[in-house]
């Protein structure tokens, strides 16, 4: 199926209120343009330098009337973000979905104070069984959202998680069930804390059953990545 056909099929399949985030990492700007032509507007990248390069490449493209052709693309960042890379990312994204440490949260807040911007973030939760997956525990999320410390230049918009990489659907359901329960436990406390970003190419249909409001889909749209 072409990029266009997959986008159109996904848009038809996703319930209203669920955002499709097209994960374009490792694919060229031309693939983004193809998805854009099919109506897709939200894209996500996971490496600072790659995001920056794609943003700049697309910003240089003008339409027939000479105005920028892709100025309404909305970028999300979904990868591990080192604090020395903030300036490659924060000026260009509407949301950082992958805030996975207090250190990063503090750095984003500080950057916002220095640059006069409030950044929308999701807290990345450690829901998978594997030890290697980064992110906060449920208790850490509750603590951060308790308001005992304030982050005036950050707006908490919700949670992000990745299920265990496995064919065992019961394990995936367990992971999604835990993050949904955490989301429901904390969502009522904060204004605009409305997003539960779970579900990727292999498991987005299951994620929808657990209340996902944002699915992050790469391979299904753009094909396999060549690393
Ligand atoms: C790469 C990536 C995705 C997309 O994964 P696919 O399996 O290609 O759909 C989603 N979320 C995150 C955090 C990723 O790094």
């Amino acid at each position: 199926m072409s990029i266009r056909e997959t986008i159109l099929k996904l848009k038809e399949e996703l319930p209203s209120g669920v955002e499709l985030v097209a994960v374009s990492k490792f694919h060229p700007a031309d693939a983004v343009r193809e998805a854009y032509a099919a109506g897709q507007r939200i894209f996500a990248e996971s490496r600072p330098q790659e995001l920056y390069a794609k943003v700049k490449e697309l910003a240089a493209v003008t339409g027939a009337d000479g105005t920028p052709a892709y100025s309404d693309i909305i970028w999300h960042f979904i990868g591990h973000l080192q604090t020395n890379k903030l300036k490659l990312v924060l000026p260009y994204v509407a949301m950082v979905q992958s805030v996975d440490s207090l250190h990063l949260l503090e750095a984003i807040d500080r950057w916002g104070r220095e640059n006069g911007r409030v950044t929308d973030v999701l807290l990345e939760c450690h829901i998978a069984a594997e030890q290697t997956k980064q992110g906060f525990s449920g208790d850490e999320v509750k603590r951060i959202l308790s308001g005992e410390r304030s982050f005036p230049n950050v707006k908490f918009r919700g949670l992000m998680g990745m299920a265990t990489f496995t064919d065992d659907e019961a394990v995936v359901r367990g992971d999604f069930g835990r993050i949904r329960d955490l989301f429901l436990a904390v969502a009522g406390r904060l204004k605009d804390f409305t997003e539960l970003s779970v579900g990727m190419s292999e498991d987005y249909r299951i994620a929808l059953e657990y209340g996902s409001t944002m699915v992050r889909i790469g391979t299904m749209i753009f094909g396999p990545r060549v690393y």
Side-chain angles (χ1 to χ4, degrees), residues 3-218:
I3 290 175
R4 176 184 191 84
E5 285 167 329
T6 310
I7 298 267
L8 296 180
K9 184 175 151 294
L10 278 166
K11 296 240 181 212
E12 207 172 273
E13 180 185 350
L14 295 176
S16 71
V18 176
E19 295 279 13
L20 174 60
V21 178
V23 178
S24 50
K25 66 185 184 196
F26 292 89
H27 293 282
D30 280 350
V32 173
R33 296 172 68 165
E34 207 175 322
Y36 183 97
Q40 181 62 25
R41 291 295 179 271
I42 307 178
F43 293 87
E45 290 284 334
S46 64
R47 298 185 301 173
Q49 195 66 54
E50 184 179 353
L51 167 80
Y52 181 81
K54 245 171 250 180
V55 164
K56 292 295 170 187
E57 184 177 343
L58 289 165
V61 181
T62 50
D65 61 355
T67 62
Y70 298 105
S71 58
D72 59 343
I73 285 185
I74 297 164
W75 291 100
H76 287 189
F77 194 78
I78 59 170
H80 184 59
L81 182 53
Q82 286 175 300
T83 53
N84 62 353
K85 300 280 167 57
L86 295 188
K87 63 181 183 301
L88 288 176
V89 172
L90 297 185
Y92 310 106
V93 298
M95 182 181 281
V96 178
Q97 294 204 9
S98 46
V99 174
D100 57 2
S101 73
L102 204 51
H103 178 64
L104 176 59
L105 185 58
E106 289 165 350
I108 294 173
D109 188 48
R110 197 177 322 119
W111 184 92
R113 191 174 66 233
E114 288 161 2
N115 293 275
R117 256 195 66 178
V118 175
T119 304
D120 279 16
V121 305
L122 304 183
L123 297 176
E124 181 172 350
C125 297
H126 175 106
I127 54 169
E130 299 121 79
Q131 292 297 315
T132 54
K133 288 267 161 69
Q134 51 222 12
F136 294 110
S137 69
D139 284 343
E140 288 170 325
V141 166
K142 287 178 182 164
R143 182 120 189 236
I144 290 166
L145 299 177
S146 70
E148 71 176 35
R149 286 183 56 187
S150 73
F151 300 91
N153 303 291
V154 166
K155 189 175 200 178
F156 296 107
R157 296 295 317 280
L159 303 180
M160 187 270 254
M162 263 182 285
T164 309
F165 186 71
T166 173
D167 289 335
D168 187 343
E169 193 177 311
V171 173
V172 173
R173 287 182 180 276
D175 292 344
F176 287 153
R178 275 193 302 284
I179 195 169
R180 176 203 52 199
D181 291 348
L182 176 62
F183 179 70
L184 293 176
V186 295
R189 301 184 196 168
L190 285 161
K191 193 170 160 287
D192 300 321
F193 196 89
T194 52
E195 305 302 328
L196 179 58
S197 175
V198 285
M200 315 189 349
S201 294
E202 291 299 322
D203 57 19
Y204 76 91
R205 287 198 177 94
I206 303 173
L208 293 174
E209 292 180 43
Y210 291 84
S212 174
T213 67
M214 260 183 197
V215 292
R216 309 178 308 270
I217 300 191

